Amino acid sequence: MELSEQEQVRRQSLQTMRDLGINPYPAQEYVVTGHSTDIKAAFVDEQHPQSEIAGKEWHTGDKISIAGRLMSKRIMGKASFIELQDSKGRIQVYVSRDDIQAPLAEGEQPTTIEQQMYNVVFKKLLDIGDFIGIEGFVFRTQMGEISVHAQKLTVLSKSLRPLPIVKYKDGVAYDGFNDPEQRYRQRYVDLVVNEGVKDTFLKRATILRTMRQVFDEAGYTEVETPILQQIAGGASARPFITHHNTLDVDMYLRIATELYLKRLIVGGFEGVYEIGRNFRNEGMDRSHNPEFTCMELYVQYKDYNWMMTFTENLLERIAIAVNGTTKVQIGDHEVDFKAPYRRLPILDAIKEKTGYDLSTMTEDEIRPIAKQLGVEDTEKMGKGKLIDEIFGETCEGTFIQPTFITDYPVEMSPLTKMHRSKPGLTERFELMVNGKELANAYSELNDPIDQYNRFVDQMNLAKKGDDEAMVIDHDFMRALEYGMPPTSGIGIGIDRLAILMTGQPTIQEVLLFPTMKPEV
């Protein structure tokens, strides 16, 4: 491996440290007693008598032990100012040679680690990116900056590869680490040097934490179901195929958790949910990744009307937990997650946007309209698929504010209960936000005979060339025949929800490690 000049210099510094008796990778616990942002937010002195947050206050002279990554340094004779970045933010540290170096007698050469700290700091053996620990006390500089006065410095980890240096002025980043492919491949660097990236993923964690709180408060149980499955069921999607050597059978990475979660409703759970990875061997773009996180929830004795109310209240609570308000700025649009949301049947939506009333039309009558509206390859599509494609082509992107699109045709919804008052339709909704589907929910089909016939219809679609049609899951059919109570279920795409709640433009911005082509 060919090393750059800076990498060579860092390795030389590493060896010099070792020659001085300093272990650059010590095996020890380092006790941290405070963090950068907490210190600055709760610092109290004569100039600022009131702290800004509840909890521990910090005063001039308070002892502190902090640790983090060295992000900048200015050496001025026997003193130095360095900037330390810990898990919460950055803080300035003042380092004086006389404070961190044990005193030497006249003519004595430094031999102990404490006596070597002068060489480490002021002979420039420390580099940007190195992890260090600082023990000292809190104070405010003459320039008014809350800082830490170092009394002891400990090298915790030597960085051998230089970080890109991003400089900020008036909120603008210069010399930035901005190339998207580099950022996604080297997320560890992106998190270190680019402001706001870590905050996106902290918000994502808040989304998941809040969602679990709501479900747990309602008494529902979080469960885990198989990722490796012998039948790729529960959704219309193309699966990834793998092979189990011991059983000598092909298996699939799951495309949905639905059918296993319904088995648990059959088994007697009141409500079950799973937050986990699904895998679909389909396209990649700004809103799709082949592996993605989905939440699915199933609750007995509920229907899709109840689920709409539950969902809008859930999203309102998540928005407030993440952003402190129900309103989120997403590009040019301000989206308001405050309940209630508009409810609009899909055929009414198509009529509203295109002028065509498809409610009484046959498959053959809809096909030329679909072609006219820009839908391609219509010959392989059944009636439901045609309606779905027309909606996607002409309507979906127009719904910016949260809107429940309801009452889908039966051909589009093989796992959904027939509508109680509208023949040919089902009790299903999709939630559209900012022009994209966020959630899909049903009054779940629990009639095993009807379910079997729906699966047969799906198999016929597969014979016509629909490679996303479902196959019959005979064990799931057996479970239904034991009896499943009336149930409502929903799936919410966590990645898309994170895009919306953080105002990010693409799915790659909310995935720590999105799928990428192999590096050449």
Side-chain angles (χ1 to χ4, degrees):
M1 180 178 65
E2 186 175 346
L3 300 177
S4 68
E5 180 180 350
Q6 286 196 51
E7 289 172 321
Q8 294 176 33
V9 169
R10 285 170 180 252
R11 280 165 171 75
Q12 291 171 1
S13 299
L14 174 73
Q15 188 57 51
T16 301
M17 283 188 187
R18 285 177 166 149
D19 293 342
L20 292 171
I22 298 171
N23 183 356
Y25 306 105
Q28 66 183 63
E29 177 188 11
Y30 190 87
V31 178
V32 173
T33 60
H35 292 89
S36 56
T37 54
D38 297 340
I39 295 168
K40 290 190 283 188
F43 185 81
V44 179
D45 61 10
E46 295 78 8
Q47 301 176 46
H48 302 79
Q50 297 296 323
S51 62
E52 299 175 18
I53 63 172
K56 177 178 173 57
E57 293 181 346
W58 292 92
H59 305 80
T60 298
D62 283 353
K63 294 292 184 180
I64 181 73
S65 174
I66 61 173
R69 194 186 287 272
L70 175 63
M71 296 303 294
S72 69
K73 60 180 179 177
R74 290 177 289 122
I75 296 178
M76 300 172 293
K78 295 182 179 181
S80 175
F81 283 97
I82 64 177
E83 187 176 36
L84 197 71
Q85 177 172 296
D86 61 15
S87 61
K88 294 190 176 181
R90 297 187 180 189
I91 193 167
Q92 179 176 268
V93 178
Y94 171 75
V95 183
S96 167
R97 184 188 71 178
D98 295 336
D99 288 326
I100 66 167
Q101 177 173 299
L104 297 172
E106 186 175 350
E108 181 185 4
Q109 295 298 313
T111 56
T112 67
I113 291 177
E114 289 75 13
Q115 292 172 336
Q116 301 290 4
M117 280 301 115
Y118 168 78
N119 292 314
V120 170
V121 178
F122 297 98
K123 291 294 182 66
K124 301 183 180 180
L125 298 182
L126 280 182
D127 293 297
I128 304 301
D130 290 354
F131 280 90
I132 58 175
I134 298 291
E135 296 176 45
F137 59 87
V138 181
F139 77 112
R140 188 188 294 273
T141 67
Q142 292 181 347
M143 300 297 293
E145 184 167 355
I146 299 167
S147 306
V148 174
H149 188 127
Q151 295 175 302
K152 181 179 179 180
L153 185 149
T154 304
V155 178
L156 298 176
S157 181
K158 181 69 181 165
S159 170
L160 299 183
R161 189 182 291 264
L163 288 169
I165 303 301
V166 182
K167 300 176 182 177
Y168 291 91
K169 184 176 181 181
D170 299 326
V172 178
Y174 297 90
D175 300 324
F177 186 68
N178 294 325
D179 179 76
E181 183 166 336
Q182 274 193 308
R183 289 181 53 235
Y184 304 151
R185 288 191 189 281
Q186 301 179 41
R187 184 67 84 185
Y188 38 87
V189 177
D190 188 33
L191 289 164
V192 172
V193 303
N194 285 328
E195 291 184 358
V197 173
K198 187 175 182 180
D199 184 58
T200 294
F201 294 101
L202 292 175
K203 287 183 175 181
R204 181 181 173 120
T206 299
I207 291 169
L208 294 172
R209 183 168 56 251
T210 305
M211 187 173 279
R212 284 188 167 98
Q213 287 173 350
V214 172
F215 297 158
D216 293 346
E217 288 169 7
Y220 307 144
T221 304
E222 183 171 12
V223 298
E224 296 173 301
T225 61
I227 291 176
L228 280 178
Q229 301 182 357
Q230 293 190 29
I231 293 176
S236 297
R238 185 182 299 116
F240 285 93
I241 304 173
T242 187
H243 188 78
H244 193 293
N245 291 334
T246 301
L247 297 177
D248 193 25
V249 295
D250 284 342
M251 301 191 78
Y252 304 93
L253 300 184
R254 72 181 177 200
I255 58 175
T257 57
E258 177 168 348
L259 300 187
Y260 278 96
L261 292 174
K262 286 182 180 178
R263 287 170 168 92
L264 298 179
I265 296 295
V266 170
F269 282 90
E270 176 188 0
V272 290
Y273 71 94
E274 182 169 9
I275 300 173
R277 288 296 220 199
N278 290 342
F279 306 84
R280 298 185 182 178
N281 197 358
E282 299 171 343
M284 293 167 50
D285 56 33
R286 292 166 60 88
S287 59
H288 294 87
N289 195 66
E291 59 173 314
F292 60 97
T293 303
C294 188
M295 183 289 301
E296 291 198 39
L297 166 72
Y298 294 85
V299 185
Q300 63 181 6
Y301 309 125
K302 307 298 183 184
D303 65 6
Y304 81 140
N305 293 308
W306 175 89
M307 187 62 80
M308 279 187 263
T309 301
F310 184 85
T311 301
E312 60 195 6
N313 290 331
L314 168 69
L315 295 179
E316 179 178 330
R317 180 164 165 183
I318 289 173
I320 293 171
V322 172
N323 295 304
T325 174
T326 60
K327 297 179 180 179
V328 182
Q329 190 69 34
I330 307 170
D332 297 331
H333 304 295
E334 183 182 75
V335 175
D336 192 348
F337 285 95
K338 184 172 180 58
Y341 306 157
R342 186 187 183 194
R343 304 180 183 191
L344 180 66
I346 186 171
L347 295 177
D348 290 355
I350 292 174
K351 184 177 180 181
E352 181 180 287
K353 301 296 181 182
T354 70
Y356 289 104
D357 184 356
L358 308 182
S359 60
T360 60
M361 291 187 185
T362 66
E363 177 182 318
D364 291 336
E365 290 172 326
I366 293 174
R367 185 168 284 110
I369 294 174
K371 289 181 179 179
Q372 180 183 333
L373 294 173
V375 178
E376 299 178 353
D377 300 325
T378 60
E379 297 306 319
K380 295 181 180 179
M381 298 180 188
K383 181 178 179 180
K385 185 77 168 179
L386 288 167
I387 292 173
D388 189 29
E389 291 294 322
I390 290 171
F391 178 81
E393 189 72 30
T394 63
C395 304
E396 182 172 322
T398 67
F399 293 103
I400 303 304
Q401 298 304 319
T403 304
F404 292 116
I405 303 298
T406 68
D407 304 345
Y408 284 70
V410 63
E411 297 90 346
M412 299 172 62
S413 312
L415 298 170
T416 312
K417 190 184 287 289
M418 294 295 293
H419 200 284
R420 66 196 75 180
S421 62
K422 299 178 181 179
L425 302 182
T426 61
E427 296 197 347
R428 172 186 176 188
F429 72 78
E430 289 187 350
L431 175 60
M432 300 295 165
V433 185
N434 200 41
K436 296 288 185 182
E437 174 199 342
L438 174 62
N440 188 19
Y442 318 143
S443 294
E444 300 294 337
L445 180 57
N446 60 343
D447 179 340
I449 296 174
D450 189 1
Q451 181 64 84
Y452 181 78
N453 292 333
R454 304 269 197 100
F455 276 143
V456 171
D457 290 341
Q458 287 287 300
M459 296 296 287
N460 291 332
L461 290 175
K463 291 176 183 178
K464 293 176 64 175
D466 187 345
D467 58 3
E468 293 185 350
M470 294 186 190
V471 299
I472 299 176
D473 185 332
H474 291 285
D475 180 69
F476 173 67
M477 289 304 311
R478 179 168 54 193
L480 276 189
E481 289 171 359
Y482 280 103
M484 185 175 83
T487 298
S488 183
I490 187 171
I492 296 177
I494 298 300
D495 305 321
R496 286 194 180 176
L497 181 57
I499 289 173
L500 295 169
M501 291 297 174
T502 62
Q504 294 297 328
T506 70
I507 193 172
Q508 288 79 15
E509 294 293 341
V510 299
L511 296 175
L512 282 168
F513 302 103
T515 303
M516 307 282 290
K517 289 182 179 179
E519 287 189 83
V520 179

